[in-house]
Amino acid sequence: MSRDGNEVKYQTSGALWITRSVTELKGGEVQELLIPQLDNQLGAVFTSSYEYPGRYTRWEFGFVNPPLRLSSRGMSFRMEALNSRGEVLLAAVRGMLSELPAVTDLACTEGVITGNLVPSVEFFAEEDRSKQNSVFTIIRAVKNYFYHPEDEVLGLYGAFSYDLVFQFEKVELQHDRPDNYEDLVLYLPDEIYVTDHQLQKTLRYEYEFQHDTGNTAGLPRTGRKSAPTSGREVTAPSDHEPGAYAELVRKAIQEFAVGNMFEVVPGQTFYEPCSELPSVLFKRLSRRNPSPYGFLINLGQGEYLIGASPEMYVRVEGRRIETCPISGTIPRGRTAIEDAEQIKLLMNSEKDESELTMCTDVDRNDKSRICVPGSVRVIGRRQIELYSRLIHTVDHVEGQLREGYDALDAFLTHMWAVTVTGAPKRAAITFIEHNERSPRKWYGGAVGFYGFNGSLNTGLTLRTIRLEGGVAEVRAGATLLYDSDPDAEERETQLKASAMRDAILKPDTAVGEIQHAKEESGRIRVLLVDHEDSFVHTLANYFRQAGAEVVTHRAGFPQSLMDTMKPDLVVLSPGPGRPADFQLQMTIDGCLSRQLPVFGVCLGLQGIVEYFGGELEVLDYPMHGKRSVIHQTAENRVFKGISPTFGVARYHSLYAAKEAVPECLQVTGVSEDGVVMAVEHKELPVYAVQFHPESILTLEEDRGLQMIRNVVELVAERKQRASAV
């Protein structure tokens, strides 16, 4: 990168020459400069008006008249030049796109490139699911083409819809998607405004691009107009009639009771006719509801997103990845004294603590798929954040990306955040698609920035107004679990939507608003069987920390995999439903016929008990994200170094009653309510626990990790004895 005054010049990985000039502007911030223009011009502004030390920063950045627009629908993509400068960029990337093996049906017409992605046919390990062919293959290729490590501003800016998850989770869709439905809209801007609140200055970054196919120097930074439209009618104030959401909660509770889900976050949508300009709504919402992730995006075709989201989705800087799961909600008081009382109620609520516990356990699992073992840490627990009408509890979680994984892998492995889906994720996503009244579109997805230097900063699309055709839509959900009060949860969705609805309806109302763990080759090789639970990768992470090599495969793989992989240990993960749903009898039989040691967790224990002739029963009260005290009842090497009584996390509805445990299994631990919590086969190398050693509720004294180390040690000793014979 060469420098000449305020101008730098560099060559990207794709052999594109870029010249960047930076000018400090006297007076004015990004909002003042750009917001009015976004009513009629394509572009976006992203702001942060809420500060929390070590978590959010007060920044603003934005642009209008970008030269390039990337959009997709399903496995089809469209890259469109929005002006003559975009045509230069389009010509430059065309060759790169034509060389991608994942791309088919590539067509280039004047100012537009379209194509399709070929679905992956390979058998992917769970750790590499984010590498499958998808529209993110295009995004990754564009980033690699423009890559330069020292430019922290240039990148793709825009919105990612909720439906993108269906490229990785095959769920039968219940709702028709309109013809104009887009799964993502990302802009590549060439003039970007950035306000640094700490330095109290605004900078304008201007870019010129040069390639063998053309040069943007001297071409005008013109834009395509896209103004608000009208014509839609509001036939009902919501897609749920009064009381219907409460009925949905009752339906979810039935699923929790039998263990199919632990939590789920369905939403309802509110509709209001709206003639206000998007810029007016954004300013009003920003003033009344300060948030760490505020945004106004003109998506084109008369569609706008106006948001004040409280929640980070995924942020990556260098190798560090961080998230801030939010769960646990209570209304604000009228005064600081009332706020304090509300905070006390919130902090003492077991239901709200369970909500956040489950969310953070799932979030840690998402990171564990791609992070350095031992680097995933909770660095903030149940921290209080106050917004205009709500008080939330928030956890702060970080990790370090393993070699071979980047920010896009981080984005995809968290898709979508448990705080907008539920757990286990696949079951929750299926429940949402089958029970919500309409497609989510942008709600529950993300907005933000993917930098060509490899960085990422995104927020969840929550507390957002979608404006299109003269109708403002506001979607809001609640985190449901077995303890939920149906009527209270319905009221919570209404409360969450109220700030956005008031911004639409009441213009004149004043509203009070790690250390890096070194990955070892390991002494033993572990096959982790994934039963579609939400904590599988945290469990894998623990085994890696214990020195094992781990490969994860979803249940249903061919039995011959065990012969080719030759694992030293098979771990049966937790999961929803019953063991028969995942053919655990067949898996266990395959392990024992090959003389492979087995360690089961939760559903794994239940499958082992059933395999040897025991029976399962259903708890009167499901234990989802609940703390329990375990009492050791017999010597068990899995509990080596653990006190005779210890606390753990439970997530289950099914259990093996002590009297129903077959004679060949020894019960080595029970809970305070008499439920079997650990078994060990009297002759075979088969061990199991009913609780979750990988949960944050089992973190005390590192006892969960110690148990996994004990299992690894047991298997390693057995392997050593076998090799000595």
Side-chain angles (χ1 to χ4, degrees):
M1 179 178 279
S2 61
R3 299 182 181 274
D4 182 10
N6 69 340
E7 188 174 278
V8 298
K9 187 173 183 178
Y10 62 87
Q11 191 175 31
T12 72
S13 296
L16 181 72
W17 281 100
I18 295 181
T19 302
R20 184 189 75 186
S21 60
V22 183
T23 306
E24 182 174 350
L25 304 179
K26 303 301 181 182
E29 296 183 342
V30 169
Q31 290 192 53
E32 299 171 11
L33 295 167
L34 300 182
I35 289 297
Q37 300 182 59
L38 290 174
D39 287 332
N40 299 292
Q41 293 171 275
L42 299 180
V45 162
F46 301 89
T47 70
S48 182
S49 54
Y50 184 98
E51 180 59 49
Y52 193 102
R55 184 175 301 159
Y56 310 123
T57 54
R58 297 194 61 175
W59 44 254
E60 297 178 2
F61 54 92
F63 56 89
V64 294
N65 299 330
L68 214 57
R69 183 182 191 265
L70 171 63
S71 60
S72 73
R73 179 186 172 96
M75 295 288 276
S76 300
F77 69 92
R78 175 185 176 92
M79 193 175 292
E80 182 179 8
L82 301 175
N83 55 28
S84 59
R85 300 172 63 82
E87 291 174 2
V88 173
L89 291 173
L90 208 62
V93 302
R94 182 170 56 192
M96 176 271 292
L97 292 173
S98 66
E99 294 174 0
L100 292 177
V103 173
T104 186
D105 304 323
L106 193 70
C108 306
T109 57
E110 188 174 346
V112 177
I113 295 177
T114 59
N116 297 311
L117 279 303
V118 179
S120 296
V121 295
E122 305 127 272
F123 190 71
F124 276 84
E126 288 298 293
E127 287 82 357
D128 292 329
R129 291 184 69 234
S130 58
K131 307 293 188 185
Q132 296 179 67
N133 292 348
S134 69
V135 295
F136 292 92
T137 305
I138 301 298
I139 296 171
R140 182 177 267 121
V142 171
K143 172 259 181 180
N144 291 340
Y145 182 82
F146 284 89
Y147 175 76
H148 193 280
E150 295 182 46
D151 194 323
E152 70 284 358
V153 176
L154 192 62
L156 296 172
Y157 295 75
F160 304 83
S161 86
Y162 177 84
D163 269 13
L164 289 166
V165 73
F166 299 125
Q167 297 193 22
F168 301 91
E169 295 291 351
K170 304 307 179 186
V171 173
E172 184 179 355
L173 301 183
Q174 300 299 302
H175 305 290
D176 292 331
R177 271 60 176 176
D179 292 340
N180 63 347
Y181 200 98
E182 292 179 305
D183 287 343
L184 65 82
V185 172
L186 298 176
Y187 293 118
L188 198 170
D190 61 357
E191 184 179 49
I192 307 168
Y193 294 75
V194 179
T195 294
D196 185 330
H197 288 287
Q198 292 183 343
L199 299 179
Q200 296 185 328
K201 65 180 181 182
T202 297
L203 303 176
R204 180 177 63 219
Y205 292 76
E206 296 176 285
Y207 290 86
E208 300 293 351
F209 305 92
Q210 182 179 351
H211 192 263
D212 294 342
T213 56
N215 192 335
T216 61
L219 297 178
R221 300 180 191 273
T222 55
R224 184 176 297 179
K225 301 296 183 182
S226 180
T229 59
S230 60
R232 290 176 62 197
E233 293 185 3
V234 175
T235 58
S238 171
D239 61 357
H240 286 65
E241 60 275 10
Y245 189 88
E247 284 302 313
L248 178 58
V249 178
R250 294 183 182 95
K251 185 174 182 179
I253 289 173
Q254 295 174 3
E255 298 294 311
F256 303 144
V258 296
N260 289 335
M261 294 186 297
F262 305 139
E263 63 179 348
V264 69
V265 194
Q268 63 171 316
T269 303
F270 302 90
Y271 304 95
E272 300 290 349
C274 181
S275 58
E276 295 278 22
L277 290 173
S279 60
V280 173
L281 290 177
F282 176 78
K283 291 177 181 177
R284 192 181 296 156
L285 188 59
S286 299
R287 184 173 61 253
R288 298 177 182 180
N289 197 50
S291 68
Y293 288 91
F295 50 91
L296 169 57
I297 309 175
N298 184 334
L299 297 166
Q301 304 179 54
E303 184 179 17
Y304 301 80
L305 293 180
I306 304 117
S309 176
E311 185 166 352
M312 180 190 297
Y313 175 53
V314 177
R315 183 162 67 192
V316 178
E317 294 179 358
R319 306 301 298 171
R320 182 176 186 252
I321 173 178
E322 58 181 324
T323 54
C324 295
I326 294 179
S327 197
T329 302
I330 200 167
R332 288 286 301 266
R334 293 170 295 177
T335 66
I337 303 301
E338 291 184 4
D339 275 348
E341 290 300 315
Q342 291 293 84
I343 291 170
K344 188 185 299 182
L345 288 173
L346 180 59
M347 294 302 290
N348 288 323
S349 166
E350 291 187 6
K351 183 258 187 186
D352 286 288
E353 183 178 8
S354 293
E355 280 187 22
L356 190 55
T357 293
M358 287 191 271
C359 288
T360 299
D361 274 343
V362 175
D363 183 272
R364 291 166 65 240
N365 179 75
D366 293 340
K367 289 179 179 60
S368 293
R369 191 195 303 241
I370 56 170
C371 282
V372 173
S375 70
V376 178
R377 301 190 306 140
V378 180
I379 58 177
R381 173 63 172 161
R382 295 199 81 197
Q383 296 175 311
I384 293 293
E385 289 189 3
L386 287 81
Y387 292 92
S388 63
R389 302 187 180 195
L390 298 168
I391 303 171
H392 292 305
T393 47
V394 184
D395 283 354
H396 194 175
V397 188
E398 70 170 7
Q400 296 286 331
L401 290 171
R402 289 161 57 195
E403 288 299 321
Y405 297 99
D406 60 15
L408 210 54
D409 295 307
F411 184 98
L412 295 175
T413 54
H414 287 74
M415 186 181 284
W416 286 113
V418 63
T419 51
V420 296
T421 55
K425 275 192 183 178
R426 180 178 170 83
I429 289 168
T430 301
F431 181 90
I432 286 168
E433 177 64 19
H434 282 249
N435 290 280
E436 286 189 334
R437 299 286 182 85
S438 57
R440 287 192 163 190
K441 199 167 176 63
W442 304 108
Y443 173 80
V447 297
F449 160 67
Y450 181 39
F452 291 153
N453 68 341
S455 63
L456 177 82
N457 194 349
T458 53
L460 280 173
T461 312
L462 301 171
R463 315 288 157 82
T464 298
I465 301 168
R466 175 179 174 263
L467 183 64
E468 191 266 329
V471 175
E473 300 177 8
V474 176
R475 202 175 192 117
T479 302
L480 312 182
L481 60 164
Y482 186 79
D483 302 309
S484 288
D485 178 320
D487 295 323
E489 300 290 9
E490 181 165 327
R491 289 193 297 271
E492 182 175 315
T493 65
Q494 295 165 349
L495 178 62
K496 286 178 175 176
S498 63
M500 273 62 65
R501 298 180 75 189
D502 279 357
I504 301 163
L505 298 171
K506 301 178 180 178
D508 300 319
T509 301
V511 181
E513 311 276 300
I514 177 182
Q515 278 186 332
H516 297 202
K518 190 173 182 179
E519 195 161 6
E520 302 175 8
S521 59
R523 293 176 293 166
I524 69 167
R525 186 170 175 80
V526 173
L527 168 59
L528 177 54
V529 183
D530 177 3
H531 298 122
E532 299 183 8
D533 198 64
S534 290
F535 315 132
V536 177
H537 297 288
T538 303
L539 195 58
N541 186 294
Y542 274 32
F543 274 95
R544 291 186 182 108
Q545 289 184 65
E549 297 178 23
V550 183
V551 176
T552 311
H553 285 284
R554 284 199 178 179
F557 56 80
Q559 294 277 306
S560 60
L561 179 68
M562 296 187 196
D563 300 319
T564 55
M565 180 181 169
K566 300 185 185 307
D568 302 304
L569 170 68
V570 176
V571 176
L572 306 177
S573 86
R578 288 183 167 269
D581 297 338
F582 299 95
Q583 298 181 312
L584 256 72
Q585 292 268 351
M586 183 184 299
T587 302
I588 296 169
D589 193 63
C591 295
L592 297 185
S593 67
R594 293 168 174 82
Q595 298 182 324
L596 296 175
V598 178
F599 177 63
V601 177
C602 202
L603 185 76
L605 179 143
Q606 297 159 17
I608 287 168
V609 169
E610 278 196 334
Y611 179 86
F612 289 105
E615 296 180 356
L616 303 179
E617 299 181 20
V618 179
L619 291 170
D620 293 333
Y621 183 91
M623 300 295 285
H624 296 160
K626 304 293 187 184
R627 187 189 302 272
S628 244
V629 175
I630 306 303
H631 301 273
Q632 294 189 43
T633 58
E635 183 178 353
N636 183 347
R637 283 285 302 276
V638 174
F639 295 154
K640 177 185 174 183
I642 308 295
S643 61
T645 61
F646 53 91
V648 300
R650 293 168 64 180
Y651 290 82
H652 67 111
S653 299
L654 303 179
Y655 74 103
K658 193 170 183 179
E659 61 273 14
V661 174
E663 181 63 26
C664 63
L665 297 177
Q666 182 175 25
V667 176
T668 58
V670 298
S671 62
E672 69 267 31
D673 55 351
V675 176
V676 172
M677 284 286 115
V679 298
E680 179 177 354
H681 198 281
K682 294 178 180 178
E683 297 179 3
L684 301 173
V686 176
Y687 318 89
V689 294
Q690 179 61 65
F691 56 84
H692 283 244
E694 78 284 358
S695 170
I696 59 175
L697 295 184
T698 320
L699 280 178
E700 188 176 350
E701 299 176 345
D702 266 344
R703 62 172 61 102
L705 182 57
Q706 181 60 48
M707 293 174 199
I708 300 304
R709 287 177 176 144
N710 290 341
V711 173
V712 170
E713 185 178 290
L714 270 170
V715 176
E717 289 175 1
R718 182 178 185 274
K719 182 179 179 182
Q720 188 175 16
R721 287 195 302 269
S723 62
V725 174

